[in-house]
Amino acid sequence: MVVPAVALRRQLALVNMRRLRKLATSKNHPSNATRLIGFSSSAEASSAAVSNPAEATLNIYPSDATRRTGFSSSSAETPSAPIFNSAEFSQISHLIAQLRWSKVKPLVNDGTGETILEQLFAHRVRPEVILWYYNWSEREFRVFHSLDYSCRLVISLAGANMYSLVRSFWDRFVRNARTGVTVSLIFHTLVNLSSRKSVNSKVVDMLVMAYARNCKVDLAFEAFERARGYGFRLSLLSCNPMLRGLGDEGSFEKLEYVYKEMIRRRMVLDVVSYNTVMSGLCKGGKLQRARDVMDDMRVANISPDSGTYNILFDGYVKRGGPGRMYKADALLREMVTRDVAPNEATYNILIDGFCKDENMVGAVRVFEEMKTRGLKPNVISYNSLINGFCRMGNVEEAVKKRGDMIDAGVQPTIITFNTLINGFCKQQKLREAMELFDEIYENGLFPNSLTFNALIHAHCKASEMDRAVDLRELMIKKGVCPDVSTYNCLIGGFYGVGNKAAAEKLFAEMKDNGLKPNLVAYHVLIGELCKAGEVRKAVRRLDEMVGLGLKPTHVVYNALIDGHCREGNIKAALSVRDQMVKEGKRPNVTTYNVLIRGYCKKGKLEEANRLLNEMLEHGLTPNRATYEIVQDEMIEKGFVPDIEGHISAASN
DNA sequence: GTAGGGTTAG
């Protein structure tokens, strides 16, 4: 006994009309009635709903206790909703369950679809069907449904054990910035709607997970904090991603706090929790704390795995300071003693570490050890090794390793080629670099922006600007977009050959092409302007970069200070130094060197001497440039700086 | 739907 859809729609429209008219004249709920009428009949109001969905949603359904709990369709307490009789409604829900949106759409007469949503809840329609309708109507009418509906939906999904739908619901939910929807409001709404603690806990758990996974770590953290007061118990499902988010974000204090708090809440942490905490701590340079966490892990009877060790290895290699590879070596021995098997990643981290330490003997030793342990070096192992040899200037050996890799059945990638091309470029062997470039295609690979940038950079360094520009043309022809680095290389190159006009034109062109100049772009530009004696222009560029949200580094400040000193304007130079300090950057050796030379050039040797002492008091070690300045500017002029121990070093 | 490895410009 299916009622034809057209007939049904006509019938419903009629019913709605009658109800709406009745409501409009009703004195009992004037505000609700006028609002509803407004939305169903006025184009103005519905366009307002589109342009400002959050506000519109709030207007239609003020959070009113009777509405929140008004589940029954026959209840006189829910006057704003046109009420369909059960036969009508079963037709509607049938259409929704079949996702026949073109048929559903004409039935919506409130501009937001919330009227039908209310009815779906009232009729206890299957939660997933309500979810379909909820999602469709939000998209269709460009609105966010009120938080009440969101929470009711999520609770009914959870009550039916449809947790994967709860997950995806919250995922969508948190991705949109809903004005006024705070963590505490969500919690408050949830406890008002449901008293089932376990269900609420799971719902909140998944909310926190959604926050953590969608880069809303601060909200995840807030929810984690508030959850305790509400008695919601969270799981690793939400806490592990949050730990990761905190680490990624650099919130190391919060990371340690959450870690300790998880233990205090008697949560049972797993390997992933510990590894994530350690990874975050390593990123923050807190290597000792990371080691402590590994000890905690053993106390908790969780065995560190190869991943745990790899995280520590990576920490040592990247932030371990002097002697880090020895520590790493010791850790490798400990790992083996404890019966944790190193894997490919373990060796790759170590190979790369030795290479960065310019210790190719160590790198090759680890590489060989890897093979004796029955592990096959992969493309990353070879690339690291090749990069190591290239950095040492031994490109011939690097090329040989590429041969080894092919013999071992490991195919070179574009990274292999880029590394080798870079190696040749650094040696100014442009012909060899170009030959390799041709080989890329023979190997069925395609050059990327890094390939071209390396070549362009090398040609710029060699003052071959015509070839550099040709390469950029080729790049575009091959479908590779020039990026900020491409421009940086070319701009630096043109300044280098004294073609200021071309350099400035490129800087403008870069911005015209929608590329945002980055830190390096400004380093190049400001450095060159200072060198050319155009300090005032350089200062303008500094303001410009600050305006773009880029934080000037020591290099930039020092270049400006140098520029002012070269013009003999020490006062201006000192004010740049003050600005630098205000920005939280401590003057470094170069800063002092530049200022000292500035004073010397003005003949103010006492002032220079004073700065020299200040530099030592700040615990900075003079470098070669310092000695040269002292030698050439002070001792030459018969002035004896009172930093005796350091002067003898200068004469060496 | 867990953490960990390789290439550029200053």
Side-chain angles (χ1 to χ4, degrees):
Chain A
M1 53 143 274
V2 175
V3 182
V6 179
L8 174 72
R9 201 178 335 160
R10 215 175 286 145
Q11 193 187 339
L12 287 174
L14 209 66
V15 172
N16 287 343
M17 247 347 181
R18 252 184 248 135
R19 295 235 155 88
L20 292 172
R21 248 182 242 131
K22 203 171 142 199
L23 281 164
T25 50
S26 153
K27 296 278 180 246
N28 292 341
H29 298 277
S31 57
N32 276 346
T34 45
R35 240 182 279 124
L36 200 75
I37 291 294
F39 271 98
S40 58
S41 59
S42 145
E44 235 177 80
S46 61
S47 75
V50 170
S51 67
N52 198 345
E55 211 176 357
T57 318
L58 277 172
N59 279 343
I60 296 170
Y61 291 107
S63 51
D64 160 341
T66 55
R67 292 202 43 73
R68 187 177 296 146
T69 51
F71 277 72
S72 160
S73 61
S74 60
S75 164
E77 302 300 311
T78 56
S80 67
I83 298 151
F84 309 106
N85 69 39
S86 47
E88 290 159 3
F89 197 78
S90 79
Q91 289 306 313
I92 297 178
S93 56
H94 197 66
L95 290 174
I96 293 172
Q98 290 182 324
L99 312 177
R100 297 173 73 172
W101 303 123
S102 61
K103 300 253 190 312
V104 175
K105 193 179 171 188
L107 304 174
V108 175
N109 59 9
D110 59 1
T112 66
E114 285 200 351
T115 308
I116 289 176
L117 190 58
E118 174 69 40
Q119 301 291 295
L120 289 168
F121 279 113
H123 283 82
R124 301 188 186 286
V125 170
R126 276 155 47 218
E128 72 269 33
V129 175
I130 305 184
L131 175 68
W132 297 337
Y133 176 78
Y134 179 104
N135 287 341
W136 168 78
S137 52
E138 276 204 340
R139 213 173 23 241
E140 181 67 38
F141 303 110
R142 301 206 202 167
V143 291
F144 293 142
H145 293 315
S146 76
L147 184 58
D148 266 340
Y149 287 123
S150 314
C151 289
R152 276 161 75 174
L153 178 52
V154 105
I155 286 169
S156 51
L157 287 168
N161 282 320
M162 295 172 171
Y163 284 105
S164 63
L165 292 182
V166 174
R167 256 199 230 192
S168 53
F169 178 85
W170 281 140
D171 232 40
R172 276 172 51 104
F173 185 89
V174 306
R175 269 203 284 266
N176 300 311
R178 290 166 151 81
T179 37
V181 177
T182 59
V183 169
S184 57
L185 191 58
I186 297 175
F187 282 12
H188 186 76
T189 311
L190 283 173
V191 290
N192 267 356
L193 288 166
S194 152
S195 55
R196 294 174 64 188
K197 268 227 163 95
S198 66
V199 171
N200 285 350
S201 283
K202 282 190 188 169
V203 164
V204 169
D205 201 32
M206 298 200 159
L207 173 67
V208 175
M209 179 166 71
Y211 279 140
R213 289 198 171 153
N214 288 286
C215 302
K216 318 255 168 155
V217 188
D218 45 341
L219 291 174
F221 180 75
E222 188 191 338
F224 175 80
E225 281 293 82
R226 290 188 190 275
R228 186 174 37 181
Y230 281 86
F232 299 141
R233 285 190 63 84
L234 299 183
S235 78
L236 299 187
L237 228 49
S238 61
C239 290
N240 285 353
M242 177 170 54
L243 289 169
R244 180 185 150 88
L246 289 168
D248 286 351
E249 225 185 47
S251 308
F252 305 119
E253 286 78 21
K254 278 188 187 167
L255 173 71
E256 278 204 76
Y257 168 80
V258 170
Y259 168 60
K260 286 180 186 148
E261 180 64 22
M262 282 167 77
I263 293 171
R264 207 175 304 142
R265 291 186 195 177
R266 294 167 174 269
M267 293 179 63
V268 181
L269 280 68
D270 65 2
V271 189
V272 177
S273 321
Y274 286 107
N275 287 358
T276 311
V277 171
M278 286 174 61
S279 163
L281 290 170
C282 284
K283 263 181 215 141
K286 302 180 175 181
L287 297 183
Q288 189 49 51
R289 285 291 303 123
R291 284 224 60 155
D292 295 344
V293 171
M294 187 151 91
D295 295 337
D296 292 354
M297 207 168 164
R298 292 214 171 84
V299 172
N301 232 346
I302 304 268
S303 304
D305 60 9
S306 54
T308 317
Y309 280 97
N310 289 352
I311 289 162
L312 271 182
F313 283 128
D314 191 52
Y316 280 132
V317 165
K318 292 212 175 92
R319 280 166 276 265
R324 59 208 175 146
M325 290 320 291
Y326 291 102
K327 290 183 197 161
D329 238 358
L331 193 65
L332 180 63
R333 281 196 295 276
E334 182 200 306
M335 180 178 184
V336 174
T337 322
R338 292 197 187 258
D339 241 13
V340 183
N343 59 16
E344 283 89 350
T346 317
Y347 283 104
N348 289 344
I349 298 167
L350 291 172
I351 292 168
D352 189 50
F354 279 115
C355 288
K356 300 245 157 91
D357 253 14
E358 313 201 323
N359 181 350
M360 291 316 292
V361 176
V364 171
R365 180 176 55 83
V366 175
F367 183 82
E368 294 301 327
E369 188 186 318
M370 178 175 186
K371 288 195 273 192
T372 52
R373 280 201 143 262
L375 291 170
K376 271 182 77 172
N378 60 20
V379 63
I380 298 177
S381 327
Y382 281 104
N383 285 348
S384 299
L385 211 53
I386 288 170
N387 188 37
F389 282 118
C390 285
R391 284 165 63 110
M392 299 296 286
N394 191 351
V395 195
E396 287 66 34
E397 193 59 36
V399 173
K400 263 191 216 157
K401 288 290 169 230
R402 183 183 60 149
D404 291 354
M405 122 185 233
I406 294 166
D407 291 344
V410 180
Q411 285 309 307
T413 64
I414 187 62
I415 298 179
T416 318
F417 279 96
N418 288 348
T419 309
L420 286 166
I421 287 173
N422 251 307
F424 279 123
C425 285
K426 291 259 160 64
Q427 302 278 307
Q428 282 121 43
K429 294 181 175 167
L430 299 193
R431 202 173 47 82
E432 286 88 339
M434 288 308 292
E435 279 169 16
L436 266 178
F437 176 77
D438 293 332
E439 272 188 55
I440 292 176
Y441 290 99
E442 292 162 19
N443 279 268
L445 297 167
F446 292 95
N448 59 23
S449 60
L450 269 63
T451 323
F452 284 104
N453 289 348
L455 290 166
I456 290 171
H457 180 239
H459 284 90
C460 288
K461 277 258 148 111
S463 301
E464 291 194 37
M465 293 314 294
D466 290 347
R467 308 264 345 242
V469 170
D470 286 349
L471 276 163
R472 190 181 73 140
E473 291 306 313
L474 182 65
M475 180 177 189
I476 295 166
K477 216 165 74 189
K478 296 285 184 187
V480 181
C481 270
D483 57 18
V484 180
S485 305
T486 318
Y487 280 99
N488 291 348
C489 295
L490 288 166
I491 291 167
F494 276 119
Y495 271 120
V497 297
N499 191 344
K500 256 175 29 184
E504 279 170 13
K505 204 179 134 203
L506 275 172
F507 194 82
E509 187 192 307
M510 165 167 65
K511 290 200 268 191
D512 290 344
N513 285 348
L515 293 170
K516 272 169 78 178
N518 62 9
L519 214 61
V520 181
Y522 280 100
H523 281 181
V524 174
L525 200 62
I526 291 173
E528 293 295 342
L529 285 169
C530 288
K531 257 193 255 166
E534 300 188 73
V535 193
R536 288 175 62 182
K537 270 192 185 172
V539 173
R540 269 210 298 278
R541 291 298 186 179
L542 176 76
D543 294 338
E544 187 180 304
M545 81 184 277
V546 173
L548 285 170
L550 294 170
K551 268 197 176 308
T553 58
H554 280 101
V555 186
V556 167
Y557 285 119
N558 291 342
L560 281 166
I561 293 169
D562 189 37
H564 283 306
C565 286
R566 278 167 195 271
E567 285 191 338
N569 191 347
I570 305 263
K571 218 181 194 177
L574 288 174
S575 85
V576 173
R577 186 190 62 167
D578 293 343
Q579 186 185 346
M580 168 176 185
V581 173
K582 222 189 297 170
E583 295 293 330
K585 292 251 176 293
R586 283 186 50 192
N588 61 15
V589 179
T590 310
T591 318
Y592 278 103
N593 286 349
V594 169
L595 282 166
I596 290 167
R597 191 173 52 211
Y599 274 124
C600 289
K601 291 282 182 209
K602 293 210 94 176
K604 297 187 172 179
L605 300 182
E606 287 86 357
E607 290 294 314
N609 188 42
R610 192 181 54 74
L611 273 182
L612 204 53
N613 280 304
E614 187 184 307
M615 166 179 175
L616 294 169
E617 280 162 22
H618 281 76
L620 294 170
T621 318
N623 59 18
R624 183 185 291 266
T626 323
Y627 297 141
E628 279 170 13
I629 295 163
V630 171
Q631 198 86 295
D632 298 351
E633 307 282 346
M634 299 173 91
I635 297 177
E636 281 277 286
K637 289 172 186 157
F639 187 92
V640 184
D642 64 355
I643 50 162
E644 281 184 28
H646 293 281
I647 294 173
S648 60
S651 54
N652 288 335

